[in-house]
Amino acid sequence: NGMFKYAVRNGLMIGNPAQYTEYYDVPVKKRESLSTEQVSKLLEACCGLRAEIAIHLALYCGLRRGEIVALKWSDLAESTKTIHIKNSVEFINNRPQEKGPKSSAGKRTIPVPVHLWAMLQNQPKKSMFVVPSAQGVQMSEIAVRRLIEPVQRRVDFHVTLHMLRHTYASLIDRMGISPKMCQYLLGHAELSTTKDIYTHIQDEHIENASLQLQDIYNISRT
């Protein structure tokens, strides 16, 4: 609209075609996380499948899809049982293109739960990548889809790697992890990003508080 106004003022156009354009705020799509029951079903469904490690990395470490695809065995630190997130990938015409993290905050060290570390140690290392394609190379976008599809067919709800990352975010918040540490673990450059994306977590806190405060007046009388 500003460009058209400039053109009219400078005699380049007779009228402004955007003069009566109305603008609307597009609502941000609510991020979904899995319930405790769905997590249990998912872990049972993926057991023994190629996708099992990828699902655990997203669910218990909060890794992004591109970070899982880029993850190499050399990124694991035996002495501290941690994962060093150094790279990610983006898909261009289905092919993975390695890049740095979305920001400097994306480079981070993630603690690995004991059960997942044991799974990683028992995983056959047939590739430099922790979660390679069926051919042992870095996964393409289609390969990621084929990795998840067998799991999807075993559960009665929709699931994506990003939903698992969101579930991780919800879980660490419920555990009482500080907002700044949540920001670090999720690899967000700004704390506002963490808060804005996971606003429904605050809604859950309010709902829980409401239930806890129902008897506040009865308690105050005693």
Side-chain angles (χ1 to χ4, degrees):
N1 192 20
M3 180 180 67
F4 290 127
K5 287 180 178 178
Y6 176 86
V8 171
R9 284 198 302 268
N10 288 273
L12 301 176
M13 296 179 66
I14 297 175
N16 180 359
Q19 182 177 358
Y20 300 106
T21 301
E22 295 184 15
Y23 298 92
Y24 302 91
D25 290 329
V26 179
V28 178
K29 185 178 179 181
K30 182 179 179 180
R31 270 69 175 181
E32 297 180 74
S33 62
L34 301 185
S35 67
T36 302
E37 181 182 2
Q38 288 175 326
V39 169
S40 297
K41 288 182 178 179
L42 178 66
L43 294 178
E44 182 179 353
C46 74
C47 186
L49 297 182
R50 279 200 316 114
E52 186 173 15
I53 292 292
I55 285 173
H56 279 255
L57 287 170
L59 187 60
Y60 289 102
C61 296
L63 269 60
R64 299 178 173 94
R65 180 182 68 165
E67 293 170 343
I68 293 173
V69 174
L71 190 66
K72 298 180 176 69
W73 290 109
S74 58
D75 296 328
L76 276 61
E78 171 70 36
S79 60
T80 55
K81 305 292 189 295
T82 55
I83 291 175
H84 299 306
I85 304 300
K86 303 173 182 176
N87 293 297
S88 184
V89 303
E90 61 181 346
F91 296 107
I92 300 176
N93 297 326
N94 186 45
R95 295 185 177 183
Q97 299 291 327
E98 285 218 14
K99 60 172 186 174
K102 292 179 70 173
S103 67
S104 59
K107 292 186 177 182
R108 61 201 191 279
T109 299
I110 304 294
V112 180
V114 174
H115 86 277
L116 178 51
W117 189 264
M119 289 173 61
L120 289 167
Q121 296 309 298
N122 293 328
Q123 182 81 351
K125 299 174 178 59
K126 299 179 180 179
S127 168
M128 73 171 67
F129 299 103
V130 176
V131 186
S133 70
Q135 292 73 38
V137 298
Q138 192 170 48
M139 286 191 293
S140 64
E141 192 167 20
I142 291 176
V144 175
R145 196 178 310 138
R146 288 174 178 167
L147 185 76
I148 301 299
E149 282 175 350
V151 182
Q152 184 68 71
R153 289 194 290 267
R154 291 187 178 189
V155 296
D156 57 358
F157 51 87
H158 181 61
V159 61
T160 66
L161 290 175
H162 188 73
M163 288 172 66
L164 302 184
R165 171 174 158 84
H166 183 40
T167 303
Y168 170 82
S170 300
L171 290 174
I172 61 176
D173 177 80
R174 291 193 191 105
M175 289 171 63
I177 304 297
S178 72
K180 288 297 290 184
M181 180 54 70
C182 288
Q183 175 192 355
Y184 172 80
L185 292 172
L186 292 166
H188 290 153
E190 301 292 339
L191 181 58
S192 59
T193 305
T194 310
K195 292 180 177 179
D196 289 345
I197 290 180
Y198 304 107
T199 51
H200 90 274
I201 294 174
Q202 181 179 353
D203 295 338
E204 291 177 4
H205 284 322
I206 294 172
E207 182 179 353
N208 290 336
S210 176
L211 293 173
Q212 293 170 5
L213 293 172
Q214 282 179 358
D215 294 329
I216 188 170
Y217 294 107
N218 292 331
I219 294 172
S220 66
R221 293 194 192 101
T222 60

